[in-house]
Structure formats: structure tokens, C-alpha cells
């Protein structure tokens, strides 16, 4: 497994470097936003506290397990599947802030690679991380500014909209062309996989509209609903754990 992962890293070193730069950029965004919100609120508590790191580790493990259980969807090619790994990240971000959410997303990807490796030359992992953060960050930032049920709901709605937009555009502009490039196949072959499922899919635009966008909407809505339903019950437990 580790030999295979090492080979994949060596073969796709430029893409991996791009991947790491995106990770660093999202960490910086999360940190700057969170530190500014805390300063305005007069909150001097450290972002990377022991309590946060402990819960992040636990939630990252849960997210990794959930990521391994993928649900195929009838309207998308087989390499697009639904999982609920954003659920622990969103709960963790609501409890401890945007940085915690990005950390859970990152550690989840690392653990998944160590356990299962990559079958998509890291494209799938990058997609999962970026799309996940596009949902977690706006939702948790809105909730961080004002922590109440209305903000949580608004944050989840905004997060789902941004998730859908980023997931769709990122796939069209970068991920799908990069996937075709790394695997040495024409982009038309990938589009053809979508056409076999839905005749309305004839090009990259219709591919992401009919296959990628619905997946992201479903992911955002389901994760949001579950989070809204269970977070209030989990919050006291997390706060008790964090003392």
C-alpha cells in the first residue's frame, strides 16, 4: 500500500504540490477569519487548544470511516459517489470554529490515503477536500459570527449554495481536465460516461450540470439537515469534553 502511494506521489508530484498549496491557502483563510471574529468578540482563547485537537482527532477518524462508505448515484458516473464525511467536519467546525473544520477535512484525506491509497491520481481526494471546505468554511464562519440556530441554518444554506457552485465550476474548469490529463484519456471519454447515463450530457457544461451539481446539492442538504437535528444535543457533550 505505502509503495503504491509513494509511486503515485512520485508520478504526480506537480499535482500534489498544487494540492498542498490549495490546502495551505484554505488553512490561512480559515485562520484569519476565525482570529478576526474572535478579536471582535473579545475572545482570547487559543485556536489550537488541547481540547480542540482532541475532538478534531476523534472526528477526523469518524469522517475517514464515513468517507470509505460511498453511495453510488443513478444520475452520475461511477467515480462520483455520495458520502457523509462532511458531517463530522461541519459539527466540529460549529463547535470549535472554521480551522477545526478544515483540519478535520485535511486529516480525513490523509488517513484515507494511508488506509486505501488513491485510485484517481489524487484528483478525487483534492475534489473531496476543496468541495468539502467550500461547504464547511462559509457555514462555520457565519455560525462563528453569531452562534444561534438561525445562523446555523443560514450558514448551512449558504454553504450548500457555495458547495454547489464551487463543486460544479471546479470540476468543469480544473478537476475533470486534470483527471483526463493524468490518466492520459480524452475528455470526451469521460463525458461519454455521463452520456451513457443521461443523453442530455453532451459536453463538459452539461456533464457538471446534470451529474456534479445534483450530487453537491444532495450532499449539502443531507449533511445540513442531520447537523441541525443533532448538533444541539451534541454541543453540551463537546463542551463538557473540552473542559
Amino acid at each position: 500500500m505505502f509503495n503504491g502511494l509513494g509511486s503515485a506521489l512520485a508520478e504526480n508530484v506537480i499535482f500534489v504540490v498544487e494540492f498542498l498549496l490549495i490546502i495551505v491557502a484554505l488553512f490561512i483563510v480559515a485562520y484569519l477569519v476565525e482570529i478576526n471574529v474572535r478579536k471582535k468578540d473579545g475572545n482570547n482563547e487559543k485556536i489550537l487548544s488541547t481540547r480542540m485537537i482532541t475532538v478534531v482527532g476523534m472526528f477526523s477518524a469518524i469522517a475517514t470511516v464515513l468517507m470509505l462508505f460511498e453511495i453510488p448515484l443513478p444520475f452520475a458516473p461511477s467515480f462520483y459517489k455520495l458520502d457523509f464525511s462532511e458531517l463530522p467536519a461541519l459539527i466540529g467546525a460549529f463547535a470549535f470554529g472554521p480551522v477545526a473544520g478544515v483540519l478535520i477535512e485535511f486529516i480525513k484525506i490523509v488517513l484515507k490515503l494511508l488506509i486505501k491509497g488513491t485510485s484517481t491520481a489524487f484528483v478525487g481526494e483534492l475534489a473531496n477536500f476543496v468541495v468539502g471546505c467550500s461547504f464547511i468554511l462559509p457555514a462555520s464562519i457565519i455560525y462563528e459570527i453569531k452562534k444561534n440556530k438561525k445562523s446555523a441554518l443560514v450558514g448551512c444554506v449558504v454553504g450548500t449554495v457555495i458547495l454547489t457552485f464551487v463543486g460544479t465550476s471546479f470540476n468543469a474548469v480544473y478537476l475533470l481536465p486534470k483527471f483526463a490529463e493524468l490518466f492520459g484519456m480524452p475528455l470526451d471519454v469521460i463525458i461519454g460516461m455521463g452520456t451513457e447515463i443521461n443523453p442530455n450530457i453532451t459536453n463538459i457544461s452539461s456533464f457538471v450540470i446534470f451529474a456534479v451539481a445534483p450530487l453537491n446539492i444532495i450532499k449539502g442538504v443531507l449533511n445540513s439537515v442531520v447537523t441541525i437535528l443533532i448538533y444541539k444535543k451534541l454541543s453540551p457533550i463537546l463542551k463538557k469534553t473540552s473542559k
Side-chain angles (χ1 to χ4, degrees):
M1 179 187 67
F2 291 106
N3 288 336
L5 184 59
S7 298
L9 285 168
E11 292 170 2
N12 305 293
V13 62
I14 295 177
F15 180 71
V16 172
V17 170
E18 294 173 347
F19 193 164
L20 292 174
L21 290 174
I22 291 173
I23 290 170
V24 171
L26 288 172
F27 268 118
I28 291 172
V29 170
Y31 179 82
L32 291 177
V33 170
E34 187 168 343
I35 202 71
N36 284 324
V37 171
R38 291 193 177 196
K39 282 182 178 179
K40 289 180 180 178
D41 292 340
N43 184 353
N44 296 318
E45 185 180 348
K46 292 181 180 179
I47 292 178
L48 295 176
S49 62
T50 302
R51 63 180 186 176
M52 187 268 266
I53 293 171
T54 300
V55 176
V56 163
M58 179 177 66
F59 277 18
S60 297
I62 295 171
T64 303
V65 173
L66 291 175
M67 190 179 181
L68 297 175
F69 290 94
E70 299 176 312
I71 304 170
L73 297 168
F75 54 79
S78 59
F79 50 88
Y80 284 108
K81 294 176 182 175
L82 176 68
D83 68 71
F84 289 91
S85 61
E86 267 63 60
L87 182 58
L90 183 57
I91 293 172
F94 274 9
F96 296 99
V99 172
V102 177
L103 269 173
I104 293 170
E105 288 287 336
F106 172 66
I107 296 171
K108 171 192 75 175
I109 294 298
V110 173
L111 291 175
K112 183 267 177 184
L113 288 170
L114 292 174
I115 293 169
K116 197 176 180 180
T118 180
S119 59
T120 61
F122 301 102
V123 175
E125 289 74 27
L126 174 60
N128 190 285
F129 178 78
V130 171
V131 172
C133 286
S134 73
F135 173 54
I136 302 301
L137 275 177
S140 60
I141 288 170
I142 292 171
Y143 185 71
E144 184 77 11
I145 293 171
K146 191 170 185 181
K147 294 187 176 183
N148 56 39
K149 190 171 183 178
K150 182 179 179 180
S151 291
L153 183 59
V154 171
C156 286
V157 171
V158 172
T160 299
V161 172
I162 294 176
L163 158 70
T164 304
F165 174 77
V166 171
T168 303
S169 57
F170 195 47
N171 269 269
V173 174
Y174 184 77
L175 289 175
L176 287 171
K178 180 62 71 172
F179 185 84
E181 176 190 331
L182 292 173
F183 278 87
M185 66 171 67
L187 191 56
D188 289 343
V189 173
I190 298 176
I191 295 170
M193 295 178 186
T195 307
E196 291 178 4
I197 297 170
N198 184 347
N200 291 317
I201 297 176
T202 57
N203 53 36
I204 193 70
S205 297
S206 56
F207 186 101
V208 296
I209 289 171
F210 290 110
V212 180
L215 166 63
N216 290 325
I217 292 171
I218 291 171
K219 176 179 282 192
V221 169
L222 291 180
N223 281 287
S224 296
V225 169
V226 175
T227 299
I228 296 297
L229 290 175
I230 69 174
Y231 179 69
K232 187 175 180 180
K233 296 179 181 178
L234 284 177
S235 181
I237 300 173
L238 295 174
K239 290 178 180 178
K240 183 179 179 180
T241 303
S242 64
K243 289 180 181 179

